[in-house]
Short mmCIF file of all heavy atoms in Angstrom, two decimals:
data_model
loop_
_atom_site.label_atom_id
_atom_site.label_comp_id
_atom_site.label_asym_id
_atom_site.label_seq_id
_atom_site.Cartn_x
_atom_site.Cartn_y
_atom_site.Cartn_z
N THR D 7 83.07 214.06 -147.02
CA THR D 7 82.88 212.76 -146.39
C THR D 7 83.01 212.97 -144.89
O THR D 7 84.11 213.24 -144.39
CB THR D 7 83.92 211.74 -146.90
OG1 THR D 7 83.75 211.58 -148.30
CG2 THR D 7 83.75 210.40 -146.21
N ILE D 8 81.87 212.90 -144.22
CA ILE D 8 81.83 213.15 -142.77
C ILE D 8 80.51 212.64 -142.23
O ILE D 8 79.49 212.65 -142.91
CB ILE D 8 82.01 214.67 -142.47
CG1 ILE D 8 82.29 214.91 -141.00
CG2 ILE D 8 80.80 215.44 -142.95
CD1 ILE D 8 82.75 216.33 -140.70
N SER D 9 80.52 212.21 -141.00
CA SER D 9 79.30 211.70 -140.36
C SER D 9 78.27 212.82 -140.19
O SER D 9 78.63 213.98 -139.94
CB SER D 9 79.66 211.13 -138.99
OG SER D 9 78.50 210.87 -138.24
N SER D 10 77.02 212.44 -140.29
CA SER D 10 75.95 213.42 -140.06
C SER D 10 75.87 213.82 -138.59
O SER D 10 75.18 214.76 -138.25
CB SER D 10 74.61 212.85 -140.52
OG SER D 10 74.28 211.71 -139.77
N ARG D 11 76.59 213.13 -137.73
CA ARG D 11 76.60 213.47 -136.30
C ARG D 11 77.41 214.74 -136.04
O ARG D 11 77.31 215.33 -134.98
CB ARG D 11 77.19 212.32 -135.49
CG ARG D 11 76.32 211.11 -135.46
CD ARG D 11 76.90 210.04 -134.54
NE ARG D 11 76.00 208.92 -134.48
CZ ARG D 11 76.32 207.69 -134.84
NH1 ARG D 11 77.54 207.43 -135.27
NH2 ARG D 11 75.44 206.73 -134.74
N LYS D 12 78.22 215.13 -137.00
CA LYS D 12 79.03 216.34 -136.84
C LYS D 12 78.15 217.58 -136.97
O LYS D 12 77.02 217.52 -137.42
CB LYS D 12 80.15 216.37 -137.89
CG LYS D 12 81.08 215.18 -137.84
CD LYS D 12 81.84 215.12 -136.55
CE LYS D 12 82.82 213.95 -136.53
NZ LYS D 12 83.57 213.88 -135.31
N THR D 13 78.70 218.71 -136.59
CA THR D 13 77.93 219.97 -136.63
C THR D 13 77.68 220.41 -138.06
O THR D 13 78.33 219.96 -139.00
CB THR D 13 78.70 221.09 -135.90
OG1 THR D 13 79.88 221.40 -136.66
CG2 THR D 13 79.04 220.72 -134.48
N ARG D 14 76.73 221.33 -138.22
CA ARG D 14 76.44 221.89 -139.54
C ARG D 14 77.69 222.52 -140.15
O ARG D 14 77.94 222.39 -141.34
CB ARG D 14 75.34 222.96 -139.44
CG ARG D 14 73.97 222.38 -139.38
CD ARG D 14 72.86 223.36 -139.13
NE ARG D 14 72.91 224.64 -139.83
CZ ARG D 14 71.84 225.35 -140.14
NH1 ARG D 14 70.64 224.91 -139.84
NH2 ARG D 14 71.96 226.51 -140.73
N LYS D 15 78.47 223.19 -139.32
CA LYS D 15 79.70 223.81 -139.82
C LYS D 15 80.68 222.75 -140.31
O LYS D 15 81.26 222.89 -141.39
CB LYS D 15 80.34 224.68 -138.74
CG LYS D 15 81.56 225.41 -139.23
CD LYS D 15 82.12 226.35 -138.19
CE LYS D 15 83.31 227.09 -138.78
NZ LYS D 15 83.83 228.09 -137.89
N GLN D 16 80.86 221.70 -139.53
CA GLN D 16 81.79 220.64 -139.93
C GLN D 16 81.31 219.94 -141.21
O GLN D 16 82.13 219.52 -142.03
CB GLN D 16 81.94 219.62 -138.81
CG GLN D 16 82.69 220.15 -137.61
CD GLN D 16 82.62 219.19 -136.43
OE1 GLN D 16 81.55 218.71 -136.07
NE2 GLN D 16 83.77 218.92 -135.84
N ARG D 17 80.00 219.82 -141.38
CA ARG D 17 79.44 219.19 -142.58
C ARG D 17 79.38 220.15 -143.77
O ARG D 17 78.88 219.80 -144.82
CB ARG D 17 78.04 218.64 -142.28
CG ARG D 17 78.04 217.48 -141.32
CD ARG D 17 76.67 216.81 -141.20
NE ARG D 17 75.53 217.66 -141.34
CZ ARG D 17 74.78 218.13 -140.34
NH1 ARG D 17 75.06 217.82 -139.10
NH2 ARG D 17 73.74 218.89 -140.59
N ARG D 18 79.88 221.36 -143.59
CA ARG D 18 79.95 222.41 -144.62
C ARG D 18 78.57 222.96 -144.98
O ARG D 18 78.43 223.67 -145.97
CB ARG D 18 80.68 221.93 -145.87
CG ARG D 18 82.13 221.56 -145.60
CD ARG D 18 82.87 221.13 -146.82
NE ARG D 18 83.04 222.23 -147.77
CZ ARG D 18 83.52 222.05 -148.99
NH1 ARG D 18 83.87 220.87 -149.41
NH2 ARG D 18 83.65 223.09 -149.81
N ILE D 19 77.56 222.70 -144.16
CA ILE D 19 76.22 223.25 -144.40
C ILE D 19 76.26 224.77 -144.26
O ILE D 19 75.68 225.49 -145.07
CB ILE D 19 75.18 222.63 -143.44
CG1 ILE D 19 75.03 221.13 -143.67
CG2 ILE D 19 73.85 223.36 -143.53
CD1 ILE D 19 74.37 220.74 -144.96
N GLU D 20 76.95 225.27 -143.25
CA GLU D 20 77.05 226.72 -143.05
C GLU D 20 77.72 227.38 -144.26
O GLU D 20 77.28 228.44 -144.71
CB GLU D 20 77.82 227.05 -141.77
CG GLU D 20 77.16 226.57 -140.49
CD GLU D 20 75.79 227.19 -140.25
OE1 GLU D 20 75.57 228.36 -140.65
OE2 GLU D 20 74.94 226.51 -139.67
N GLU D 21 78.74 226.75 -144.79
CA GLU D 21 79.43 227.26 -145.98
C GLU D 21 78.47 227.33 -147.17
O GLU D 21 78.44 228.32 -147.89
CB GLU D 21 80.60 226.34 -146.31
CG GLU D 21 81.36 226.70 -147.55
CD GLU D 21 82.45 225.69 -147.88
OE1 GLU D 21 82.90 224.96 -146.97
OE2 GLU D 21 82.84 225.63 -149.05
N VAL D 22 77.67 226.28 -147.35
CA VAL D 22 76.70 226.26 -148.44
C VAL D 22 75.67 227.36 -148.26
O VAL D 22 75.32 228.06 -149.22
CB VAL D 22 76.02 224.87 -148.53
CG1 VAL D 22 74.84 224.89 -149.49
CG2 VAL D 22 77.03 223.82 -148.96
N LEU D 23 75.19 227.53 -147.04
CA LEU D 23 74.20 228.58 -146.77
C LEU D 23 74.76 229.96 -147.11
O LEU D 23 74.03 230.82 -147.62
CB LEU D 23 73.76 228.54 -145.31
CG LEU D 23 72.92 227.33 -144.91
CD1 LEU D 23 72.66 227.33 -143.41
CD2 LEU D 23 71.62 227.29 -145.69
N GLU D 24 76.04 230.19 -146.85
CA GLU D 24 76.66 231.47 -147.17
C GLU D 24 76.80 231.66 -148.67
O GLU D 24 76.77 232.79 -149.16
CB GLU D 24 78.03 231.58 -146.49
CG GLU D 24 77.94 231.73 -144.99
CD GLU D 24 79.30 231.70 -144.31
OE1 GLU D 24 80.34 231.73 -145.00
OE2 GLU D 24 79.32 231.64 -143.07
N MET D 25 76.95 230.57 -149.41
CA MET D 25 77.10 230.64 -150.86
C MET D 25 75.78 230.95 -151.56
O MET D 25 75.78 231.54 -152.64
CB MET D 25 77.63 229.30 -151.40
CG MET D 25 79.02 228.95 -150.92
SD MET D 25 79.43 227.22 -151.26
CE MET D 25 79.58 227.25 -153.04
N LEU D 26 74.67 230.54 -150.95
CA LEU D 26 73.36 230.66 -151.58
C LEU D 26 72.74 232.03 -151.34
O LEU D 26 72.80 232.57 -150.24
CB LEU D 26 72.43 229.58 -151.04
CG LEU D 26 72.78 228.15 -151.44
CD1 LEU D 26 72.05 227.15 -150.54
CD2 LEU D 26 72.43 227.90 -152.90
N ALA D 27 72.14 232.56 -152.39
CA ALA D 27 71.44 233.84 -152.31
C ALA D 27 70.00 233.66 -152.80
O ALA D 27 69.62 232.59 -153.29
CB ALA D 27 72.17 234.88 -153.16
N ASP D 28 69.22 234.71 -152.69
CA ASP D 28 67.84 234.72 -153.14
C ASP D 28 67.73 234.17 -154.57
O ASP D 28 68.52 234.55 -155.44
CB ASP D 28 67.32 236.16 -153.08
CG ASP D 28 65.85 236.26 -153.40
OD1 ASP D 28 65.05 235.56 -152.76
OD2 ASP D 28 65.50 237.03 -154.31
N SER D 29 66.80 233.26 -154.78
CA SER D 29 66.51 232.64 -156.09
C SER D 29 67.53 231.59 -156.53
O SER D 29 67.45 231.09 -157.65
CB SER D 29 66.36 233.69 -157.19
OG SER D 29 65.29 234.54 -156.87
N ASP D 30 68.50 231.26 -155.69
CA ASP D 30 69.43 230.18 -156.02
C ASP D 30 68.76 228.84 -155.79
O ASP D 30 67.66 228.75 -155.22
CB ASP D 30 70.69 230.27 -155.16
CG ASP D 30 71.63 231.39 -155.59
OD1 ASP D 30 71.40 231.98 -156.66
OD2 ASP D 30 72.58 231.66 -154.84
N THR D 31 69.45 227.78 -156.21
CA THR D 31 68.93 226.41 -156.08
C THR D 31 69.97 225.54 -155.40
O THR D 31 71.15 225.60 -155.73
CB THR D 31 68.59 225.82 -157.46
OG1 THR D 31 67.61 226.66 -158.09
CG2 THR D 31 68.05 224.42 -157.35
N LEU D 32 69.49 224.72 -154.47
CA LEU D 32 70.32 223.71 -153.81
C LEU D 32 69.78 222.34 -154.20
O LEU D 32 68.58 222.08 -154.08
CB LEU D 32 70.28 223.87 -152.29
CG LEU D 32 71.00 222.79 -151.48
CD1 LEU D 32 72.50 222.80 -151.76
CD2 LEU D 32 70.72 222.97 -149.99
N ILE D 33 70.67 221.46 -154.67
CA ILE D 33 70.27 220.11 -155.06
C ILE D 33 71.00 219.10 -154.19
O ILE D 33 72.21 219.20 -153.97
CB ILE D 33 70.62 219.83 -156.54
CG1 ILE D 33 69.89 220.80 -157.45
CG2 ILE D 33 70.27 218.39 -156.90
CD1 ILE D 33 70.23 220.63 -158.92
N VAL D 34 70.25 218.11 -153.69
CA VAL D 34 70.82 216.96 -152.98
C VAL D 34 70.13 215.70 -153.50
O VAL D 34 69.02 215.76 -154.03
CB VAL D 34 70.64 217.06 -151.46
CG1 VAL D 34 71.43 218.22 -150.87
CG2 VAL D 34 69.18 217.18 -151.06
N THR D 35 70.81 214.58 -153.35
CA THR D 35 70.23 213.33 -153.85
C THR D 35 69.16 212.79 -152.92
O THR D 35 68.26 212.08 -153.37
CB THR D 35 71.30 212.25 -154.07
OG1 THR D 35 72.01 212.05 -152.84
CG2 THR D 35 72.25 212.67 -155.17
N GLU D 36 69.26 213.10 -151.63
CA GLU D 36 68.23 212.67 -150.67
C GLU D 36 68.29 213.55 -149.43
O GLU D 36 69.33 214.14 -149.13
CB GLU D 36 68.39 211.20 -150.32
CG GLU D 36 69.74 210.82 -149.79
CD GLU D 36 69.91 209.33 -149.60
OE1 GLU D 36 70.06 208.61 -150.59
OE2 GLU D 36 69.89 208.90 -148.44
#
């Protein structure tokens, strides 16, 4: 739970990118 105005790191996007590897899947509702 955080504003989209925050950085990718603060929004945990960087963490997700590190978790994902070739052929993985990322799902979001929108």
Side-chain angles (χ1 to χ4, degrees):
T7 299
I8 193 168
S9 169
S10 63
R11 292 185 177 120
K12 301 297 182 179
T13 67
R14 280 174 41 153
K15 183 175 182 175
Q16 290 170 312
R17 292 189 327 259
R18 297 182 67 188
I19 297 290
E20 296 299 328
E21 177 184 337
V22 170
L23 291 174
E24 289 175 9
M25 296 167 70
L26 292 163
D28 186 54
S29 300
D30 285 350
T31 301
L32 174 64
I33 299 177
V34 294
T35 56
E36 55 187 74

